[in-house]
Amino acid sequence: MDSGEEYDVLSVREQLFHERVRECIICTLLFASLYILCHFILTRFKRHTDFTVDDDEDAAVNRIALWLCTFTLAVSLGAVLLLPFSIISNEVLLSFPQNYYIQWLNGSLIHGLWNLVFLFSNLSLVFLMPFAYFFTEAEGFAGSKKGIMARVYETFVVLLLLTLLVLGMVWVASAIVDNDAASRESLYDFWEYYLPYLYSCISLFGVLLLLLCTPFGLSRMFTVTGTLLVKPRLLEDLDEQLSCTGFEEAAICRKINSGKTSCWLNLDMDVLRQQYLAIHTHRITLETRRKASAWQRNLGYPLAMLSLLSLTGISVLVVCFHVLELLLDDAAMPRGIQEAPLGKVSFSVFGSFGAAMQVVLIFYLMISSVVGFYSSPLFTKLLPEQHDTTMTKIIGNCVSLLVLSSALPVLSRTLGITRFDLLGDFGRFNWLGNFYIVFLYNMLFAGLTTLCLVKKFTWAVQAELIRAFGLHKLPLPVTRSQQPSKLS
């Protein structure tokens, strides 16, 4: 080999080295930005008394658990941004194929981000979040010296026992379902088979949870948006609400003053003060909404409702069209690929506009699923409160959001929202290749979404008609049940 060939080999190795270093720096900066953002979010919801207690040990334990929750929430946000970032990167490379300043945006970087999100999701679900929960509940073994290390030892022992229990249950389930020695031996390869299989089950659970929460959230988005925006005067009478709120505030204020001056009234002053503060805050909010401009009142609310209705309708139409594709073309099935062919072809037949619409729909589905999750009766108690959320509830919220966000790329590809195939281990899920599961999932999503929307608008139209005719002001009939008289 002459000196020229050696120089070419060294230059190629040097170039690969610099590309790898550049990818590591980019991934580190992106994750650091997400971590800082999630830290500010959790700081807004955490209970400050849990971190300023007299016992320094409890405060240190809560801080460590908060760091782990921040890491998990950053991974969740990264999983949400994963598919939109990949779609936007493909369109940017298509528009500027020879631009020097975007050469860092390549398939290797995107593939590395997918692998990192998959790895960190496994790490958070299997180890970090269980460790954070057991760490906050641990007190150390009986007879051992108190301290943080005693809690760490107890947490590791509990985690080890839990891991053995889960492994044993999966092993027994695998032996019952598939009575094959090879399938049982495959569980010995922990990294290659067990963790992807476990994550496949968790992802399936997350996709099923999205199937229940997203249609309900799509119908709830209209109500949530209506409470945040100022409605036109035709649909909302703020003067009447302000007068009622003022009367309630004055009544509670008189109760508080009479309770202070009289010893004969048995009143719970703490409950009354909380009610007074809540009504006072509500009255200030109503006054702020009454001062809204005519443009904000008469234009903002209708545009927001039309936007939500358009996005929901487009989502249902895309899913229905994907159902037809599943019946006619095998290529519509979700599949996994190992290489990211970025910058070669657009993933939408409408070009950049279609790709932008895919990104908007992905974010809209994620927001709707979160709204539906916290609005469902089963998970309403998990809703965080500002500056008054316990550490256990923060852990539960982080786990729930991680399960939902990790299933978002699979949901988007399964419903046909995007044509971007799943990269890395996201495409290795066993159930993705089952036509009946994918077809039934699309049918259920379209049916449940349509049912929720029809029920929502039917009740909304009925309520508006009752209010328009003044029937809501009529006194309700009182039915008295006749009790048999007791003979003495």
Side-chain angles (χ1 to χ4, degrees), residues 408-437:
L408 181 64
V410 185
L411 171 78
S412 303
R413 184 63 185 92
T414 304
L415 296 178
I417 302 297
T418 180
R419 295 301 186 109
F420 193 92
D421 289 314
L422 302 173
L423 292 177
D425 291 325
F426 277 93
R428 294 177 57 186
F429 302 148
N430 299 327
W431 57 271
L432 284 176
N434 193 318
F435 170 79
Y436 298 101
I437 293 179

PDB file of all heavy atoms in Angstrom, residues 408-437:
ATOM      1  N   LEU A 408     -46.523   6.823  20.493  1.00  0.00           N
ATOM      2  CA  LEU A 408     -46.980   7.772  19.476  1.00  0.00           C
ATOM      3  C   LEU A 408     -46.423   7.475  18.085  1.00  0.00           C
ATOM      4  O   LEU A 408     -47.187   7.519  17.104  1.00  0.00           O
ATOM      5  CB  LEU A 408     -46.625   9.197  19.907  1.00  0.00           C
ATOM      6  CG  LEU A 408     -47.061  10.302  18.942  1.00  0.00           C
ATOM      7  CD1 LEU A 408     -48.575  10.357  18.838  1.00  0.00           C
ATOM      8  CD2 LEU A 408     -46.505  11.651  19.387  1.00  0.00           C
ATOM      9  N   PRO A 409     -45.117   7.194  17.901  1.00  0.00           N
ATOM     10  CA  PRO A 409     -44.649   6.838  16.550  1.00  0.00           C
ATOM     11  C   PRO A 409     -45.337   5.601  15.985  1.00  0.00           C
ATOM     12  O   PRO A 409     -45.662   5.569  14.786  1.00  0.00           O
ATOM     13  CB  PRO A 409     -43.143   6.613  16.750  1.00  0.00           C
ATOM     14  CG  PRO A 409     -42.787   7.376  17.967  1.00  0.00           C
ATOM     15  CD  PRO A 409     -43.988   7.282  18.850  1.00  0.00           C
ATOM     16  N   VAL A 410     -45.564   4.599  16.825  1.00  0.00           N
ATOM     17  CA  VAL A 410     -46.250   3.384  16.365  1.00  0.00           C
ATOM     18  C   VAL A 410     -47.699   3.697  16.002  1.00  0.00           C
ATOM     19  O   VAL A 410     -48.228   3.200  14.992  1.00  0.00           O
ATOM     20  CB  VAL A 410     -46.167   2.295  17.449  1.00  0.00           C
ATOM     21  CG1 VAL A 410     -46.772   0.997  16.948  1.00  0.00           C
ATOM     22  CG2 VAL A 410     -44.724   2.063  17.873  1.00  0.00           C
ATOM     23  N   LEU A 411     -48.365   4.527  16.810  1.00  0.00           N
ATOM     24  CA  LEU A 411     -49.744   4.911  16.511  1.00  0.00           C
ATOM     25  C   LEU A 411     -49.826   5.658  15.184  1.00  0.00           C
ATOM     26  O   LEU A 411     -50.696   5.372  14.345  1.00  0.00           O
ATOM     27  CB  LEU A 411     -50.285   5.791  17.636  1.00  0.00           C
ATOM     28  CG  LEU A 411     -51.636   6.455  17.378  1.00  0.00           C
ATOM     29  CD1 LEU A 411     -52.765   5.465  17.562  1.00  0.00           C
ATOM     30  CD2 LEU A 411     -51.840   7.661  18.277  1.00  0.00           C
ATOM     31  N   SER A 412     -48.920   6.617  14.973  1.00  0.00           N
ATOM     32  CA  SER A 412     -48.960   7.428  13.754  1.00  0.00           C
ATOM     33  C   SER A 412     -48.746   6.573  12.515  1.00  0.00           C
ATOM     34  O   SER A 412     -49.405   6.776  11.488  1.00  0.00           O
ATOM     35  CB  SER A 412     -47.899   8.532  13.835  1.00  0.00           C
ATOM     36  OG  SER A 412     -48.098   9.336  14.978  1.00  0.00           O
ATOM     37  N   ARG A 413     -47.833   5.606  12.591  1.00  0.00           N
ATOM     38  CA  ARG A 413     -47.592   4.751  11.427  1.00  0.00           C
ATOM     39  C   ARG A 413     -48.703   3.719  11.255  1.00  0.00           C
ATOM     40  O   ARG A 413     -49.073   3.376  10.122  1.00  0.00           O
ATOM     41  CB  ARG A 413     -46.239   4.034  11.579  1.00  0.00           C
ATOM     42  CG  ARG A 413     -45.864   3.203  10.361  1.00  0.00           C
ATOM     43  CD  ARG A 413     -45.695   4.083   9.149  1.00  0.00           C
ATOM     44  NE  ARG A 413     -45.441   3.295   7.947  1.00  0.00           N
ATOM     45  CZ  ARG A 413     -46.385   2.864   7.120  1.00  0.00           C
ATOM     46  NH1 ARG A 413     -47.664   3.128   7.375  1.00  0.00           N
ATOM     47  NH2 ARG A 413     -46.071   2.172   6.043  1.00  0.00           N
ATOM     48  N   THR A 414     -49.257   3.225  12.349  1.00  0.00           N
ATOM     49  CA  THR A 414     -50.327   2.228  12.257  1.00  0.00           C
ATOM     50  C   THR A 414     -51.595   2.827  11.659  1.00  0.00           C
ATOM     51  O   THR A 414     -52.297   2.178  10.877  1.00  0.00           O
ATOM     52  CB  THR A 414     -50.626   1.644  13.644  1.00  0.00           C
ATOM     53  OG1 THR A 414     -49.422   1.101  14.199  1.00  0.00           O
ATOM     54  CG2 THR A 414     -51.661   0.539  13.567  1.00  0.00           C
ATOM     55  N   LEU A 415     -51.903   4.090  12.005  1.00  0.00           N
ATOM     56  CA  LEU A 415     -53.096   4.744  11.485  1.00  0.00           C
ATOM     57  C   LEU A 415     -52.890   5.343  10.106  1.00  0.00           C
ATOM     58  O   LEU A 415     -53.841   5.866   9.514  1.00  0.00           O
ATOM     59  CB  LEU A 415     -53.564   5.841  12.447  1.00  0.00           C
ATOM     60  CG  LEU A 415     -54.026   5.388  13.826  1.00  0.00           C
ATOM     61  CD1 LEU A 415     -54.418   6.587  14.667  1.00  0.00           C
ATOM     62  CD2 LEU A 415     -55.187   4.412  13.719  1.00  0.00           C
ATOM     63  N   GLY A 416     -51.672   5.314   9.591  1.00  0.00           N
ATOM     64  CA  GLY A 416     -51.416   5.884   8.275  1.00  0.00           C
ATOM     65  C   GLY A 416     -51.306   7.392   8.274  1.00  0.00           C
ATOM     66  O   GLY A 416     -51.423   8.011   7.205  1.00  0.00           O
ATOM     67  N   ILE A 417     -51.080   8.014   9.452  1.00  0.00           N
ATOM     68  CA  ILE A 417     -50.907   9.464   9.499  1.00  0.00           C
ATOM     69  C   ILE A 417     -49.665   9.871   8.722  1.00  0.00           C
ATOM     70  O   ILE A 417     -49.620  10.925   8.091  1.00  0.00           O
ATOM     71  CB  ILE A 417     -50.814   9.947  10.965  1.00  0.00           C
ATOM     72  CG1 ILE A 417     -52.076   9.536  11.742  1.00  0.00           C
ATOM     73  CG2 ILE A 417     -50.629  11.445  11.030  1.00  0.00           C
ATOM     74  CD1 ILE A 417     -53.341  10.150  11.233  1.00  0.00           C
ATOM     75  N   THR A 418     -48.635   9.049   8.738  1.00  0.00           N
ATOM     76  CA  THR A 418     -47.406   9.302   8.007  1.00  0.00           C
ATOM     77  C   THR A 418     -46.943   8.021   7.334  1.00  0.00           C
ATOM     78  O   THR A 418     -47.302   6.916   7.756  1.00  0.00           O
ATOM     79  CB  THR A 418     -46.306   9.821   8.950  1.00  0.00           C
ATOM     80  OG1 THR A 418     -45.109  10.053   8.207  1.00  0.00           O
ATOM     81  CG2 THR A 418     -46.032   8.836  10.055  1.00  0.00           C
ATOM     82  N   ARG A 419     -46.127   8.184   6.296  1.00  0.00           N
ATOM     83  CA  ARG A 419     -45.533   7.044   5.596  1.00  0.00           C
ATOM     84  C   ARG A 419     -44.105   6.778   6.061  1.00  0.00           C
ATOM     85  O   ARG A 419     -43.446   5.883   5.527  1.00  0.00           O
ATOM     86  CB  ARG A 419     -45.523   7.315   4.091  1.00  0.00           C
ATOM     87  CG  ARG A 419     -46.893   7.426   3.446  1.00  0.00           C
ATOM     88  CD  ARG A 419     -47.702   6.171   3.648  1.00  0.00           C
ATOM     89  NE  ARG A 419     -48.960   6.202   2.918  1.00  0.00           N
ATOM     90  CZ  ARG A 419     -49.225   5.468   1.856  1.00  0.00           C
ATOM     91  NH1 ARG A 419     -48.326   4.622   1.408  1.00  0.00           N
ATOM     92  NH2 ARG A 419     -50.392   5.561   1.252  1.00  0.00           N
ATOM     93  N   PHE A 420     -43.651   7.538   7.021  1.00  0.00           N
ATOM     94  CA  PHE A 420     -42.281   7.350   7.515  1.00  0.00           C
ATOM     95  C   PHE A 420     -42.231   6.052   8.315  1.00  0.00           C
ATOM     96  O   PHE A 420     -42.871   5.928   9.357  1.00  0.00           O
ATOM     97  CB  PHE A 420     -41.875   8.539   8.389  1.00  0.00           C
ATOM     98  CG  PHE A 420     -40.403   8.592   8.683  1.00  0.00           C
ATOM     99  CD1 PHE A 420     -39.557   9.317   7.870  1.00  0.00           C
ATOM    100  CD2 PHE A 420     -39.865   7.922   9.766  1.00  0.00           C
ATOM    101  CE1 PHE A 420     -38.201   9.383   8.137  1.00  0.00           C
ATOM    102  CE2 PHE A 420     -38.523   7.974  10.039  1.00  0.00           C
ATOM    103  CZ  PHE A 420     -37.684   8.713   9.216  1.00  0.00           C
ATOM    104  N   ASP A 421     -41.453   5.090   7.826  1.00  0.00           N
ATOM    105  CA  ASP A 421     -41.381   3.792   8.484  1.00  0.00           C
ATOM    106  C   ASP A 421     -40.605   3.881   9.794  1.00  0.00           C
ATOM    107  O   ASP A 421     -39.754   4.760   9.992  1.00  0.00           O
ATOM    108  CB  ASP A 421     -40.724   2.764   7.557  1.00  0.00           C
ATOM    109  CG  ASP A 421     -41.626   2.399   6.391  1.00  0.00           C
ATOM    110  OD1 ASP A 421     -42.813   2.150   6.631  1.00  0.00           O
ATOM    111  OD2 ASP A 421     -41.135   2.392   5.250  1.00  0.00           O
ATOM    112  N   LEU A 422     -40.897   2.956  10.693  1.00  0.00           N
ATOM    113  CA  LEU A 422     -40.295   2.948  12.020  1.00  0.00           C
ATOM    114  C   LEU A 422     -38.841   2.512  11.931  1.00  0.00           C
ATOM    115  O   LEU A 422     -38.516   1.503  11.311  1.00  0.00           O
ATOM    116  CB  LEU A 422     -41.074   2.006  12.939  1.00  0.00           C
ATOM    117  CG  LEU A 422     -42.563   2.335  13.089  1.00  0.00           C
ATOM    118  CD1 LEU A 422     -43.268   1.261  13.874  1.00  0.00           C
ATOM    119  CD2 LEU A 422     -42.748   3.682  13.756  1.00  0.00           C
ATOM    120  N   LEU A 423     -37.968   3.270  12.570  1.00  0.00           N
ATOM    121  CA  LEU A 423     -36.533   2.998  12.535  1.00  0.00           C
ATOM    122  C   LEU A 423     -36.115   2.202  13.763  1.00  0.00           C
ATOM    123  O   LEU A 423     -36.738   2.258  14.821  1.00  0.00           O
ATOM    124  CB  LEU A 423     -35.741   4.311  12.484  1.00  0.00           C
ATOM    125  CG  LEU A 423     -35.852   5.131  11.197  1.00  0.00           C
ATOM    126  CD1 LEU A 423     -35.077   6.426  11.337  1.00  0.00           C
ATOM    127  CD2 LEU A 423     -35.338   4.343  10.007  1.00  0.00           C
ATOM    128  N   GLY A 424     -35.008   1.485  13.629  1.00  0.00           N
ATOM    129  CA  GLY A 424     -34.405   0.787  14.756  1.00  0.00           C
ATOM    130  C   GLY A 424     -35.310  -0.279  15.349  1.00  0.00           C
ATOM    131  O   GLY A 424     -36.022  -1.001  14.642  1.00  0.00           O
ATOM    132  N   ASP A 425     -35.270  -0.355  16.668  1.00  0.00           N
ATOM    133  CA  ASP A 425     -36.040  -1.374  17.380  1.00  0.00           C
ATOM    134  C   ASP A 425     -37.525  -1.047  17.470  1.00  0.00           C
ATOM    135  O   ASP A 425     -38.306  -1.886  17.932  1.00  0.00           O
ATOM    136  CB  ASP A 425     -35.471  -1.551  18.800  1.00  0.00           C
ATOM    137  CG  ASP A 425     -34.091  -2.184  18.773  1.00  0.00           C
ATOM    138  OD1 ASP A 425     -33.864  -3.027  17.892  1.00  0.00           O
ATOM    139  OD2 ASP A 425     -33.238  -1.819  19.606  1.00  0.00           O
ATOM    140  N   PHE A 426     -37.936   0.160  17.073  1.00  0.00           N
ATOM    141  CA  PHE A 426     -39.361   0.484  17.079  1.00  0.00           C
ATOM    142  C   PHE A 426     -40.128  -0.368  16.072  1.00  0.00           C
ATOM    143  O   PHE A 426     -41.328  -0.575  16.224  1.00  0.00           O
ATOM    144  CB  PHE A 426     -39.570   1.963  16.746  1.00  0.00           C
ATOM    145  CG  PHE A 426     -39.401   2.871  17.917  1.00  0.00           C
ATOM    146  CD1 PHE A 426     -38.172   3.450  18.185  1.00  0.00           C
ATOM    147  CD2 PHE A 426     -40.453   3.148  18.761  1.00  0.00           C
ATOM    148  CE1 PHE A 426     -37.999   4.302  19.258  1.00  0.00           C
ATOM    149  CE2 PHE A 426     -40.297   3.988  19.844  1.00  0.00           C
ATOM    150  CZ  PHE A 426     -39.061   4.561  20.093  1.00  0.00           C
ATOM    151  N   GLY A 427     -39.450  -0.852  15.025  1.00  0.00           N
ATOM    152  CA  GLY A 427     -40.111  -1.672  14.026  1.00  0.00           C
ATOM    153  C   GLY A 427     -40.006  -3.157  14.262  1.00  0.00           C
ATOM    154  O   GLY A 427     -40.392  -3.955  13.391  1.00  0.00           O
ATOM    155  N   ARG A 428     -39.472  -3.569  15.423  1.00  0.00           N
ATOM    156  CA  ARG A 428     -39.295  -4.987  15.712  1.00  0.00           C
ATOM    157  C   ARG A 428     -40.429  -5.582  16.533  1.00  0.00           C
ATOM    158  O   ARG A 428     -40.344  -6.716  16.967  1.00  0.00           O
ATOM    159  CB  ARG A 428     -37.974  -5.203  16.463  1.00  0.00           C
ATOM    160  CG  ARG A 428     -36.734  -4.885  15.638  1.00  0.00           C
ATOM    161  CD  ARG A 428     -35.478  -5.061  16.471  1.00  0.00           C
ATOM    162  NE  ARG A 428     -35.375  -6.400  17.025  1.00  0.00           N
ATOM    163  CZ  ARG A 428     -34.431  -6.781  17.882  1.00  0.00           C
ATOM    164  NH1 ARG A 428     -33.525  -5.909  18.285  1.00  0.00           N
ATOM    165  NH2 ARG A 428     -34.396  -8.008  18.341  1.00  0.00           N
ATOM    166  N   PHE A 429     -41.490  -4.800  16.752  1.00  0.00           N
ATOM    167  CA  PHE A 429     -42.599  -5.311  17.544  1.00  0.00           C
ATOM    168  C   PHE A 429     -43.318  -6.412  16.772  1.00  0.00           C
ATOM    169  O   PHE A 429     -43.618  -6.274  15.583  1.00  0.00           O
ATOM    170  CB  PHE A 429     -43.577  -4.183  17.884  1.00  0.00           C
ATOM    171  CG  PHE A 429     -42.937  -3.050  18.644  1.00  0.00           C
ATOM    172  CD1 PHE A 429     -43.371  -1.750  18.491  1.00  0.00           C
ATOM    173  CD2 PHE A 429     -41.896  -3.301  19.526  1.00  0.00           C
ATOM    174  CE1 PHE A 429     -42.783  -0.715  19.192  1.00  0.00           C
ATOM    175  CE2 PHE A 429     -41.306  -2.275  20.237  1.00  0.00           C
ATOM    176  CZ  PHE A 429     -41.749  -0.977  20.068  1.00  0.00           C
ATOM    177  N   ASN A 430     -43.623  -7.504  17.464  1.00  0.00           N
ATOM    178  CA  ASN A 430     -44.191  -8.675  16.798  1.00  0.00           C
ATOM    179  C   ASN A 430     -45.581  -8.411  16.229  1.00  0.00           C
ATOM    180  O   ASN A 430     -45.927  -8.908  15.152  1.00  0.00           O
ATOM    181  CB  ASN A 430     -44.236  -9.847  17.787  1.00  0.00           C
ATOM    182  CG  ASN A 430     -42.860 -10.228  18.294  1.00  0.00           C
ATOM    183  OD1 ASN A 430     -41.887 -10.120  17.562  1.00  0.00           O
ATOM    184  ND2 ASN A 430     -42.766 -10.652  19.538  1.00  0.00           N
ATOM    185  N   TRP A 431     -46.388  -7.630  16.926  1.00  0.00           N
ATOM    186  CA  TRP A 431     -47.781  -7.459  16.527  1.00  0.00           C
ATOM    187  C   TRP A 431     -47.943  -6.511  15.350  1.00  0.00           C
ATOM    188  O   TRP A 431     -49.041  -6.411  14.775  1.00  0.00           O
ATOM    189  CB  TRP A 431     -48.597  -6.959  17.713  1.00  0.00           C
ATOM    190  CG  TRP A 431     -48.092  -5.684  18.303  1.00  0.00           C
ATOM    191  CD1 TRP A 431     -47.165  -5.550  19.295  1.00  0.00           C
ATOM    192  CD2 TRP A 431     -48.480  -4.360  17.947  1.00  0.00           C
ATOM    193  NE1 TRP A 431     -46.946  -4.231  19.574  1.00  0.00           N
ATOM    194  CE2 TRP A 431     -47.742  -3.482  18.761  1.00  0.00           C
ATOM    195  CE3 TRP A 431     -49.378  -3.829  17.025  1.00  0.00           C
ATOM    196  CZ2 TRP A 431     -47.881  -2.101  18.674  1.00  0.00           C
ATOM    197  CZ3 TRP A 431     -49.511  -2.467  16.918  1.00  0.00           C
ATOM    198  CH2 TRP A 431     -48.768  -1.612  17.752  1.00  0.00           C
ATOM    199  N   LEU A 432     -46.893  -5.794  14.935  1.00  0.00           N
ATOM    200  CA  LEU A 432     -47.011  -4.862  13.818  1.00  0.00           C
ATOM    201  C   LEU A 432     -47.239  -5.581  12.491  1.00  0.00           C
ATOM    202  O   LEU A 432     -47.809  -5.013  11.560  1.00  0.00           O
ATOM    203  CB  LEU A 432     -45.763  -3.991  13.723  1.00  0.00           C
ATOM    204  CG  LEU A 432     -45.645  -2.863  14.748  1.00  0.00           C
ATOM    205  CD1 LEU A 432     -44.327  -2.142  14.591  1.00  0.00           C
ATOM    206  CD2 LEU A 432     -46.799  -1.887  14.604  1.00  0.00           C
ATOM    207  N   GLY A 433     -46.772  -6.821  12.386  1.00  0.00           N
ATOM    208  CA  GLY A 433     -46.944  -7.557  11.147  1.00  0.00           C
ATOM    209  C   GLY A 433     -48.255  -8.309  11.037  1.00  0.00           C
ATOM    210  O   GLY A 433     -48.495  -8.985  10.021  1.00  0.00           O
ATOM    211  N   ASN A 434     -49.104  -8.210  12.055  1.00  0.00           N
ATOM    212  CA  ASN A 434     -50.393  -8.911  12.047  1.00  0.00           C
ATOM    213  C   ASN A 434     -51.434  -8.016  11.377  1.00  0.00           C
ATOM    214  O   ASN A 434     -51.798  -6.949  11.878  1.00  0.00           O
ATOM    215  CB  ASN A 434     -50.815  -9.252  13.480  1.00  0.00           C
ATOM    216  CG  ASN A 434     -51.959 -10.238  13.526  1.00  0.00           C
ATOM    217  OD1 ASN A 434     -52.903 -10.146  12.756  1.00  0.00           O
ATOM    218  ND2 ASN A 434     -51.869 -11.186  14.444  1.00  0.00           N
ATOM    219  N   PHE A 435     -51.938  -8.466  10.233  1.00  0.00           N
ATOM    220  CA  PHE A 435     -52.891  -7.661   9.469  1.00  0.00           C
ATOM    221  C   PHE A 435     -54.187  -7.446  10.244  1.00  0.00           C
ATOM    222  O   PHE A 435     -54.755  -6.341  10.231  1.00  0.00           O
ATOM    223  CB  PHE A 435     -53.185  -8.348   8.129  1.00  0.00           C
ATOM    224  CG  PHE A 435     -54.330  -7.731   7.385  1.00  0.00           C
ATOM    225  CD1 PHE A 435     -54.150  -6.560   6.658  1.00  0.00           C
ATOM    226  CD2 PHE A 435     -55.591  -8.307   7.413  1.00  0.00           C
ATOM    227  CE1 PHE A 435     -55.213  -5.976   5.972  1.00  0.00           C
ATOM    228  CE2 PHE A 435     -56.653  -7.733   6.729  1.00  0.00           C
ATOM    229  CZ  PHE A 435     -56.460  -6.565   6.004  1.00  0.00           C
ATOM    230  N   TYR A 436     -54.676  -8.460  10.916  1.00  0.00           N
ATOM    231  CA  TYR A 436     -55.960  -8.357  11.608  1.00  0.00           C
ATOM    232  C   TYR A 436     -55.898  -7.358  12.763  1.00  0.00           C
ATOM    233  O   TYR A 436     -56.851  -6.609  13.001  1.00  0.00           O
ATOM    234  CB  TYR A 436     -56.389  -9.735  12.106  1.00  0.00           C
ATOM    235  CG  TYR A 436     -56.594 -10.733  10.988  1.00  0.00           C
ATOM    236  CD1 TYR A 436     -55.626 -11.688  10.702  1.00  0.00           C
ATOM    237  CD2 TYR A 436     -57.741 -10.698  10.204  1.00  0.00           C
ATOM    238  CE1 TYR A 436     -55.799 -12.604   9.668  1.00  0.00           C
ATOM    239  CE2 TYR A 436     -57.929 -11.601   9.169  1.00  0.00           C
ATOM    240  CZ  TYR A 436     -56.956 -12.555   8.908  1.00  0.00           C
ATOM    241  OH  TYR A 436     -57.127 -13.438   7.879  1.00  0.00           O
ATOM    242  N   ILE A 437     -54.764  -7.343  13.491  1.00  0.00           N
ATOM    243  CA  ILE A 437     -54.633  -6.390  14.589  1.00  0.00           C
ATOM    244  C   ILE A 437     -54.598  -4.960  14.058  1.00  0.00           C
ATOM    245  O   ILE A 437     -55.282  -4.062  14.572  1.00  0.00           O
ATOM    246  CB  ILE A 437     -53.368  -6.705  15.414  1.00  0.00           C
ATOM    247  CG1 ILE A 437     -53.511  -8.045  16.130  1.00  0.00           C
ATOM    248  CG2 ILE A 437     -53.103  -5.596  16.423  1.00  0.00           C
ATOM    249  CD1 ILE A 437     -52.302  -8.442  16.939  1.00  0.00           C
TER     250      ILE A 437
END
